[in-house]
Amino acid sequence: SGIAKVYVDGAFKMQVDCYSASGQAQVVLYTVTGLAADAHTITVEETGARNATSKSAWVWVDAFEYMP
């Protein structure tokens, strides 16, 4: 599908391309380590852009994993 921007605590971290030729679930597209033991926010923002091979710009989030 589409391309998303990832923010952690309001700071832009990277753009991720969610395109896959076949349907997949719970694929890791972004990982962050080294955060302080505190509350944090993760924002995933769709950009409206897409991979040239993709037929849509939708962005689905099907999982977050937290490991203290």
Side-chain angles (χ1 to χ4, degrees), residues 16-32:
V16 293
D17 186 346
C18 301
Y19 173 75
S20 174
S22 62
Q24 298 180 17
Q26 299 182 356
V27 174
V28 176
L29 295 179
Y30 177 75
T31 301
V32 62

Side-chain angles (χ1 to χ4, degrees), residues 2 16 28 35 41-42 53 63-64:
V16 293
V28 176
L35 294 175
T41 60
I42 299 171
T53 310
F64 285 99

Side-chain angles (χ1 to χ4, degrees), residues 5-57:
K5 291 181 180 179
V6 178
Y7 298 83
V8 176
D9 296 333
F12 174 75
K13 295 299 180 179
M14 71 177 299
Q15 229 173 231
V16 293
D17 186 346
C18 301
Y19 173 75
S20 174
S22 62
Q24 298 180 17
Q26 299 182 356
V27 174
V28 176
L29 295 179
Y30 177 75
T31 301
V32 62
T33 59
L35 294 175
D38 200 358
H40 298 279
T41 60
I42 299 171
T43 304
V44 179
E45 175 186 308
E46 58 85 19
T47 64
R50 63 181 176 86
N51 180 301
T53 310
S54 179
K55 294 181 176 144
S56 176

